[in-house]
Amino acid sequence: MMQTEDKPTVQDTPLVPIEKIVSLCKRRGFVYPNSEIYGGVAGIYDFGPLGVELRNNIRRYWWWSMVQTHDNVVGIEGATITHPRVWEASGHVENFVDRLVDCKKCKRRFRIDHLPPENWENRKCPVCGGELTEPRTFNLLMETYLGVVEGERMKTYLRGEACQNIYLDYDNVLKSSRMQIPFGICQIGKAYRNEVTPGNFLFRQREFEQWDLQFFVHPSEMQRWFDYWKQFRFEWYTNLINHKDRIRLRAHASDELAHYAKQAFDVEYQTVLGWQEWEGIHWRQDWDLSRHSQYSGQDLSYTDPITKERYIPWIVETSGGVDRTFLYLLLDAYEEEPDPAGKESRTVLHLHPMLAPVKVAVLPLQKNKEELVTTARDIHKKLQRLMVSQYDDVAAIGRRYRRQDEIGTPYCVTVDFQTLEDQTVTVRERDSMAQIRLPIAELTMYLLERVTWK
Ligand code: GAP
């Protein structure tokens, strides 16, 4: 697990409206609506310069925690298009459906599993009280076609869940990497769903990214590994947030379980949308490897090298969303903080320093003093090789601090007239706004210790 002196601060702030994050993301270059000049596409987004940095940091930290620091876990990266039979074997062609009703009066559309039970029983719209239509069923898989000649093209699907590649590559990994059960395979990759009710910004999209671990075990060890990964993943998320009272683990009721799961827990986070899923921990048992053995005709059973016992491994899955993590971390970090001096409030992102898109900003006190500018540029150039650094000499120093607070930059380094005399700089910390003086020679180590994980 990550260690740092600069743990996020616990704050007692109200839940943040999603619109605040949408606006910040657009204004500061985290996230843009996809194809905006053509009017946009619901449920599809692009990531801007700061968004890519934050996303990459989140992904890298997950990979480090799950793959790099576990001897019994390896990674793959699969294609987003597979053979169409995969989705028959996985059960998605048959079971990956949403049931919808429309309100005859106000024309709103609802997923039945999102309706309050009394509204569904009485067929009554929860918004206007109008009558609801009979339910219709929609499959969420996105179709695509391979080949160019009409009539010979093969219909297949963009992957509806990223993890299927892991089952498809399981036997190759086993043979090529000398892994033995118990062991896990990780992957980060895009998934596509024709969500019938996309919305709430990055929360429910049609193209999104998932991170998965599929951990293969002997059936007698399933409970132990299920408990281990459930706890590990819950602590992993808890460690990244400021509001520790907004995260919980919740067991699925039997009528909520996905078609492949015998048991499931969700890591949930509380936002203005209520308590919602962040990651699912699923007891998939032998569903996947048995089904792929049956549909492909390839025997995917495992032979224990010592006992020679032959069996289909059982699977613990941990499956979360990169985009949902991105959104939840911003909602968790955002604060409009009143100025104690009563002048101007500041917007600040209390992001974990290791995930912050920009680690340090280097600021000459004045831009018309050549020696200040040259020294600041020199410091920035050296830091830039080791971490994301921004040089900024536009506007008064207070305004420049505020610009960095708003994007979550944990440290600002100011080069002033004293720097020219004694080779020290001011280092300002984002959350406390406390300032210390440090020799330039110690600056790199000081920052690296605080913005990298170990
Ligand atoms: N392989 C299991 C699986 O796909 P899931 O609960 O459907 O399980 C896992 O998805 C995670 O993917 C969710 O916890 C959520 O974080 C993310 N996710 C699912 N659908 C999403 C969507 N439409 N938009 C954004 N993220 C989504």
Side-chain angles (χ1 to χ4, degrees):
M1 278 286 149
M2 180 163 61
Q3 288 166 9
T4 171
E5 287 173 29
D6 293 297
K7 286 257 158 47
T9 51
V10 179
Q11 308 142 63
D12 189 17
T13 50
L15 295 174
V16 175
I18 296 213
E19 299 71 48
K20 296 252 183 202
I21 302 301
V22 177
S23 157
L24 174 79
C25 281
K26 176 103 190 283
R27 195 169 69 247
R28 298 306 310 268
F30 283 89
V31 183
Y32 311 125
N34 173 272
S35 315
E36 195 180 13
I37 57 170
Y38 290 99
V41 186
I44 305 191
Y45 290 91
D46 290 348
F47 289 81
L50 291 179
V52 192
E53 295 295 343
L54 176 58
R55 220 175 145 78
N56 283 342
N57 293 343
I58 295 173
R59 282 201 200 102
R60 271 193 226 115
Y61 178 56
W62 184 87
W63 197 265
W64 177 87
S65 318
M66 299 295 286
V67 184
Q68 193 176 326
T69 55
H70 278 97
D71 290 329
N72 54 359
V73 178
V74 290
I76 63 158
E77 187 169 324
T80 57
I81 299 177
T82 59
H83 195 286
R85 289 276 286 166
V86 170
W87 303 100
E88 290 166 29
S90 71
H92 283 74
V93 170
E94 193 186 342
N95 299 312
F96 199 38
V97 290
D98 273 349
R99 294 175 72 219
L100 298 182
V101 284
D102 294 299
C103 173
K104 290 183 181 171
K105 195 169 156 202
C106 71
K107 310 294 178 209
R108 284 191 173 83
R109 177 166 289 174
F110 304 96
R111 268 173 61 172
I112 292 179
D113 57 337
H114 289 173
L115 274 178
E118 59 279 13
N119 290 79
W120 172 227
E121 275 156 30
N122 302 324
R123 302 292 192 274
K124 215 172 174 186
C125 172
V127 179
C128 75
E131 192 191 342
L132 297 175
T133 59
E134 280 307 302
R136 287 180 298 157
T137 301
F138 292 89
N139 192 291
L140 304 190
L141 286 175
M142 258 189 213
E143 293 174 6
T144 188
Y145 294 85
L146 297 177
V148 288
V149 180
E150 204 56 53
E152 292 175 17
R153 300 194 323 158
M154 178 167 79
K155 179 175 127 182
T156 184
Y157 307 95
L158 301 181
R159 62 185 178 190
E161 58 171 5
C163 65
Q164 287 299 322
N165 296 76
I166 298 183
Y167 316 129
L168 304 177
D169 290 339
Y170 152 81
D171 203 39
N172 279 328
V173 171
L174 202 57
K175 287 175 180 146
S176 60
S177 66
R178 299 175 60 233
M179 283 283 146
Q180 286 180 8
I181 281 177
F183 81 101
I185 304 178
C186 276
Q187 180 184 233
I188 301 179
K190 294 274 188 181
Y192 301 85
R193 294 182 187 173
N194 255 327
E195 295 282 1
V196 277
T197 51
N200 291 315
F201 196 36
L202 306 179
F203 179 77
R204 195 173 306 288
Q205 299 171 86
R206 289 173 162 149
E207 173 180 327
F208 57 99
E209 197 166 45
Q210 295 184 310
W211 46 41
D212 290 304
L213 161 75
Q214 306 294 319
F215 199 77
F216 302 87
V217 300
H218 186 277
S220 65
E221 297 230 278
M222 184 69 180
Q223 187 70 55
R224 180 163 86 81
W225 285 109
F226 187 72
D227 293 342
Y228 170 82
W229 285 112
K230 188 175 71 179
Q231 196 55 29
F232 185 91
R233 295 303 299 149
F234 180 69
E235 284 170 16
W236 191 88
Y237 285 111
T238 306
N239 199 32
L240 292 182
I241 56 174
N242 299 294
H243 299 280
K244 311 290 186 199
D245 55 335
R246 293 187 190 161
I247 190 166
R248 72 179 185 192
L249 261 175
R250 189 182 66 80
H252 275 211
S254 56
D255 60 351
E256 283 178 271
L257 290 171
H259 61 272
Y260 48 74
K262 298 272 183 297
Q263 246 194 72
F265 280 80
D266 280 347
V267 176
E268 292 189 332
Y269 183 75
Q270 191 189 25
T271 68
V272 282
L273 305 173
W275 285 97
Q276 295 282 355
E277 177 180 348
W278 195 343
E279 168 158 320
I281 294 105
H282 304 130
W283 178 299
R284 291 184 79 122
Q285 204 147 315
D286 62 342
W287 165 267
D288 306 279
L289 293 184
S290 294
R291 293 276 290 200
H292 283 303
S293 290
Q294 187 191 332
Y295 278 70
S296 68
Q298 302 275 326
D299 180 6
L300 296 176
S301 59
Y302 175 80
T303 305
D304 187 286
I306 298 164
T307 64
K308 306 298 173 208
E309 183 191 355
R310 203 164 175 73
Y311 59 93
I312 293 278
W314 286 17
I315 293 175
V316 182
E317 170 182 72
T318 72
S319 183
V322 178
D323 309 85
R324 211 167 275 187
T325 303
F326 188 102
L327 174 64
Y328 284 173
L329 289 181
L330 289 179
L331 285 166
D332 187 81
Y334 185 93
E335 189 183 5
E336 286 172 11
E337 202 178 76
D339 184 342
K343 285 191 227 147
E344 214 188 323
S345 69
R346 67 166 184 155
T347 299
V348 54
L349 283 185
H350 299 282
L351 282 172
H352 202 295
M354 287 173 237
L355 300 182
V358 177
K359 307 298 184 197
V360 61
V362 186
L363 321 169
L365 189 63
Q366 292 176 10
K367 77 167 178 183
N368 51 2
K369 295 281 182 250
E370 200 185 322
E371 281 169 287
L372 295 182
V373 167
T374 314
T375 309
R377 279 198 183 281
D378 191 41
I379 293 172
H380 163 66
K381 279 281 152 208
K382 285 192 180 120
L383 288 174
Q384 196 177 46
R385 299 173 68 87
L386 299 164
M387 65 191 80
V388 177
S389 168
Q390 276 191 357
Y391 172 86
D392 186 7
D393 61 15
V394 179
I397 195 76
R399 290 278 301 276
R400 282 182 272 165
Y401 285 152
R402 294 285 182 274
R403 272 207 287 268
Q404 295 298 331
D405 291 341
E406 199 186 34
I407 61 168
T409 306
Y411 297 99
C412 287
V413 170
T414 306
V415 174
D416 55 22
F417 292 102
Q418 192 181 329
T419 310
L420 306 180
E421 287 164 21
D422 65 4
Q423 294 293 295
T424 63
V425 285
T426 301
V427 181
R428 171 189 180 270
E429 197 272 329
R430 175 197 65 202
D431 295 339
S432 61
M433 295 189 272
Q435 303 194 5
I436 57 165
R437 272 206 97 80
L438 264 192
I440 296 174
E442 290 172 24
L443 183 62
T444 306
M445 277 315 294
Y446 179 88
L447 293 173
L448 275 179
E449 267 175 28
R450 285 159 177 78
V451 301
T452 39
W453 48 76
K454 49 193 172 295

